[in-house]
Amino acid sequence: MVPFTTLNALACPLGLENVDTDQLIPARFMSRPRDAGYGGFLLHDQRVGPDGASRGSILDNKAYAGAAIMVARRNFGTGSSREAAVYALWDFGIRCVIAPSFGDIFASNAVKNGLLPAQVSEVAADAILEWLAAASGRMITVDLQACSVVCGNRSYPFVIDPVRRLQLLNGWDDLDLTLQHEAAIKRYGENRRREHAWVVPAVS
Amino acid sequence: MTPKDSAPRTLFDKLWDSHVITMREDGEALLWVDRHFVHEGSHHAFRKLDEKARGVAEPSLTFGVADHYVPTRGRPVIADPEIGQMVERLKRNTTKHGIRLFGLDDPAQGIVHVVGPEQGLTLPGLLIVCGDSHTSTHGALGAFAFGIGASEVAHVLMTQTLWQRKPKRMRILVDGTLGAHITAKDLALHVIATIGADGARGHALEYAGEAIANLSIEGRLTLCNMSIEAGARCAMVSPDAATIAYLEGRPYAPKGEVMEAAIVAWLALASDPDAVFDRELRMNAADVAPTITWGVSPEDSLPITASVPSPEGSTQRQKYLMEALAYMGLEAGRALVGIPVDRVFIGSCTNARIEDLRAAASVLKGRKARVPGLVSPGSSAVKRMAEAEGLDRIFTDAGLTFADSGCSMCVGMNGDLAASGERVASTTNRNFRGRQGVGARTHLMSPAMVAAAAVTGCLTDVRALLLVEG
């Protein structure tokens, strides 16, 4: 996993609430292999009409081409556990989403792929969106060491679980850590089966 | 592992404590997974295994279910090659790793969250995960069950464990009794409308109180299923006599002496009387009306007797409401009752158990549907049971299609879709934009309410329908 420390990038003010993962990537695209890239599927049905014509989404606005930060409102990534929602953001080039709240499973999936879910207050989200709307092409700095979002001369704090912060900063993979506990896992599994026979699925 | 101090504990505390393998200083715990369900969508995770050249740590605790992509008609032929490939890939991956698969041709096939409890794989006291957010369903039996993403699915396959931070504890107490024709689905939508689609975020949610104790297991499954729509990490109900009666004799449930020991352990799981919750809410079942969604999030719910809301509040709120109404093709201020629907759907892990089909059939019996519709039972076993009871004929006599089991029109990836602009009365769990097809307009409601909409061709208060027509 690529470590995340500081990001200075163009920010796209999506500004929507309850952006569920069905919107982030419609289900019909999820059988595709990742190799070809999922970026084109990001928020597909908001961007492309049934006739294939562009709907003029902010994501396709040239002023935001190359944006690596997305700013949204409450409950971003709610709904389905599909990690493909993170793949779509990542392959589109997004490395950080700033919002007042995130779906729990989405936030976990994001971190496991190196994408930062930066949780700011409602007031801060409004202020950041307003600042971005004032002129197109504005850059934001997200500092994971300091847990701050810097917009021009204003700075807003964001929160993230301390463990997730460390994982992102170091680009850690859970598996390496888990394997250090292999003996304890084996012992636990054996004890559990011995002490509680009912946990073992009865043979049908 | 279990703390022996005398501090009173909640049901969730007990479930959590009994699965901790080790705690890190930073507060994350490595948890043991008792059951892991995989489905066609788990292909990303299996690929991660291949990339790391690792096997499945505990194949005997891992179960495959073909549900998301399986067609509900024309089996065993799968006409769409892309869908066929997804079903085939699950078969290949489970075969390769020695995992029991409830595949397309298995008599026990169905939707994973219906199959687990039905087969007795879901038990009180177990930690259950699946790469599907509606895994919260299994908590209805007193399990600690939650949905995970593909990276975590891969981690569980490789280690049978997960790193987690303990969520906060929340309890919703529901006093009193639900009224006639008012179901767990109505209660769930009422709860989500009350606390919001992120109202239980970061919390393990326990339901308790008279109304919950009186819910059937099917009803509890529906309620816990929908809790993810309130953002809950997981949801649960204390195991009781109804739970045990439900599980006895299920194929994978414990038998004989082992079952006797299990029952003792399960009945000790209930929250201690003076256990403390981080957050507690109390509501009265008598306040719950037949509830439906009007917008594009499950929190956009109202009693069927209400009107489409008018955009008010902050500028942001008004914008949200106007966009939701525009997507739904609804005019602010008009009564919900009487809004014409184009199609109905009865199915999904939320509401396709036998009790749900019976409730819908009791409304449809002797009546004709005015709009087309599909009934997809929650499992092949539910389908057989419905056929044995003659429910299939009630559905087909009414003009609806009675199909095979799968996620069907809930998930938009197996060919069952609504057309753009179509309004669907649906027993499913998500009214998100495009969930049932590009541009489809979904109204969530209970099976009886969907049946009432089928009969009248519009959104209808099932209580009024049954009162008028007897």
Side-chain angles (χ1 to χ4, degrees):
Chain A
M1 199 171 86
V2 192
F4 187 114
T5 48
T6 299
L7 174 67
N8 176 251
L10 196 60
C12 170
L14 188 67
L16 301 172
E17 65 181 278
N18 283 335
V19 178
D20 55 73
T21 53
D22 275 82
Q23 289 181 71
L24 287 170
I25 179 166
R28 62 184 184 279
F29 298 123
M30 295 193 318
S31 55
R32 310 283 176 89
R34 175 81 184 275
D35 318 357
Y38 271 33
F41 308 143
L42 179 66
L43 290 162
H44 181 275
D45 295 343
Q46 292 190 14
R47 290 164 62 197
V48 184
D51 52 356
S54 167
R55 293 187 162 188
S57 159
I58 194 166
L59 289 186
D60 298 314
N61 183 334
K62 284 204 178 80
Y64 298 106
I69 299 171
M70 182 177 274
V71 189
R73 287 197 156 88
R74 69 175 266 266
N75 210 19
F76 187 91
T78 182
S80 156
S81 61
R82 60 189 70 171
E83 200 159 302
V86 177
Y87 304 159
L89 285 162
W90 184 272
D91 292 353
F92 188 81
I94 304 295
R95 298 291 176 267
C96 169
V97 179
I98 300 171
S101 61
F102 295 92
D104 280 340
I105 307 176
F106 172 84
S108 168
N109 291 342
V111 170
K112 298 206 187 298
N113 288 275
L115 189 149
L116 168 65
Q119 190 185 337
V120 296
S121 69
E122 294 267 359
V123 175
D126 283 344
I128 296 167
L129 285 165
E130 209 172 294
W131 184 79
L132 288 173
S136 62
R138 285 189 159 171
M139 312 272 281
I140 281 181
T141 301
V142 179
D143 183 344
L144 186 54
Q145 281 290 358
C147 286
S148 69
V149 175
V150 182
C151 308
N153 54 10
R154 292 294 304 272
S155 174
Y156 305 92
F158 70 83
V159 292
I160 180 163
D161 178 287
V163 174
R164 289 182 176 170
R165 177 173 165 273
L166 274 183
Q167 277 178 334
L168 282 166
L169 283 172
N170 297 298
W172 279 338
D173 184 336
D174 279 347
L175 187 66
D176 303 333
L177 191 61
T178 310
L179 294 178
Q180 295 170 18
H181 298 278
E182 244 178 337
I185 295 169
K186 188 164 180 285
R187 201 162 52 239
Y188 179 97
E190 286 166 1
N191 286 346
R192 185 150 176 81
R193 287 180 171 95
R194 193 176 58 246
E195 290 168 19
H196 310 284
W198 55 268
V199 303
V200 180
V203 178
S204 171
Chain B
M1 271 340 125
T2 310
K4 297 289 186 231
D5 60 63
S6 58
R9 293 187 297 160
T10 66
L11 162 61
F12 180 67
D13 292 327
K14 296 177 190 184
L15 292 171
W16 174 272
D17 291 345
S18 63
H19 288 90
V20 175
I21 298 166
T22 185
M23 278 291 284
R24 280 204 319 243
E25 277 182 20
D26 57 29
E28 288 232 341
L30 186 64
L31 301 179
W32 175 259
V33 173
D34 292 306
R35 300 279 188 277
H36 183 196
F37 293 109
V38 294
H39 55 82
E40 304 97 305
S42 308
H43 65 101
H44 288 293
F46 279 108
R47 215 182 59 164
K48 284 176 201 278
L49 245 70
D50 292 342
E51 282 167 9
K52 291 189 188 281
R54 295 191 70 93
V56 173
E58 297 279 358
S60 71
L61 302 180
T62 313
F63 296 85
V65 183
D67 59 0
H68 280 64
Y69 283 85
V70 297
T72 57
R73 282 158 284 179
R75 289 186 197 170
V77 179
I78 303 180
D80 183 331
E82 204 167 324
I83 288 173
Q85 188 198 338
M86 290 298 285
V87 177
E88 187 54 38
R89 196 182 289 161
L90 174 68
K91 193 173 180 179
R92 220 167 41 233
N93 279 323
T94 49
T95 306
K96 174 179 169 185
H97 293 285
I99 296 167
R100 161 80 164 98
L101 172 67
F102 297 93
L104 192 63
D105 51 357
D106 194 301
Q109 179 271 342
I111 308 172
V112 58
H113 310 309
V114 177
V115 170
E118 188 174 81
Q119 292 298 314
L121 284 164
T122 302
L123 300 173
L126 297 186
L127 192 157
I128 301 172
V129 295
C130 171
D132 187 278
S133 59
H134 289 106
T135 308
S136 60
T137 311
H138 305 255
L141 297 173
F144 174 16
F146 54 99
I148 55 178
S151 295
E152 290 182 314
V153 169
H155 189 273
V156 176
L157 287 172
M158 291 186 271
T159 67
Q160 203 61 20
T161 67
L162 264 184
W163 290 102
Q164 293 282 300
R165 177 178 295 277
K166 190 177 177 184
K168 291 184 179 143
R169 298 150 305 179
M170 177 171 176
R171 178 162 66 179
I172 296 183
L173 283 163
V174 190
D175 301 316
T177 313
L178 291 168
H181 309 296
I182 296 170
T183 65
K185 181 64 162 290
D186 302 293
L187 175 58
L189 290 172
H190 178 83
V191 166
I192 299 162
T194 306
I195 67 174
D198 53 359
R201 195 169 46 82
H203 288 77
L205 175 55
E206 179 181 345
Y207 293 97
E210 186 189 352
I212 307 301
N214 288 334
L215 277 182
S216 64
I217 296 301
E218 284 85 352
R220 295 177 194 179
L221 288 161
T222 300
L223 185 61
C224 289
N225 172 280
M226 288 295 290
S227 299
I228 183 67
E229 310 310 333
R233 191 75 187 100
C234 57
M236 58 198 63
V237 176
S238 264
D240 59 10
T243 316
I244 292 157
Y246 175 90
L247 285 169
E248 258 161 348
R250 303 261 167 200
Y252 288 87
K255 317 271 185 310
E257 279 177 21
V258 181
M259 181 63 165
E260 282 168 36
I263 291 170
V264 173
W266 296 344
L267 293 177
L269 287 170
S271 290
D272 297 331
D274 37 5
V276 179
F277 291 82
D278 298 288
R279 209 175 143 205
E280 204 153 9
L281 233 77
R282 195 158 195 149
M283 44 183 77
N284 199 316
D287 296 336
V288 182
T291 304
I292 69 163
T293 62
W294 55 266
V296 292
S297 159
E299 72 183 10
D300 300 336
S301 291
L302 282 169
I304 181 67
T305 49
S307 299
V308 176
S310 301
E312 45 193 32
S314 67
T315 317
Q316 168 58 22
R317 182 70 191 157
Q318 286 184 32
K319 183 167 168 270
Y320 174 83
L321 290 170
M322 281 191 297
E323 284 174 359
L325 294 184
Y327 180 84
M328 292 300 291
L330 291 174
E331 197 184 316
R334 76 152 294 172
L336 290 172
V337 166
I339 292 172
V341 302
D342 302 301
R343 185 174 292 282
V344 299
F345 176 64
I346 297 169
S348 86
C349 58
T350 307
N351 273 133
R353 296 175 188 85
I354 191 65
E355 182 184 288
D356 301 314
L357 300 195
R358 286 178 190 143
S362 76
V363 176
L364 286 161
K365 190 171 186 181
R367 295 185 168 99
K368 293 282 180 199
R370 291 195 183 179
V371 292
L374 177 64
V375 182
S376 175
S379 70
S380 301
V382 169
K383 184 178 189 227
R384 286 190 298 274
M385 215 184 306
E387 286 165 346
E389 295 179 19
L391 306 185
D392 58 324
R393 288 220 314 283
I394 295 175
F395 293 126
T396 51
D397 287 352
L400 302 180
T401 302
F402 186 75
D404 283 321
S405 176
C407 296
S408 187
M409 210 195 269
C410 178
V411 74
M413 56 173 76
N414 46 53
D416 290 347
L417 291 165
S420 185
E422 271 190 333
R423 190 177 302 286
V424 189
S426 181
T427 67
T428 54
N429 41 57
R430 286 184 174 140
N431 52 336
F432 296 159
R433 288 178 173 87
R435 172 85 176 179
Q436 293 192 298
V438 180
R441 295 160 170 166
T442 306
H443 293 272
L444 305 178
M445 61 195 81
S446 75
M449 286 286 285
V450 168
V455 166
T456 59
C458 57
L459 301 181
T460 299
D461 188 336
V462 65
R463 298 171 301 185
L465 177 80
L466 297 182
L467 202 66
V468 172
E469 299 189 15

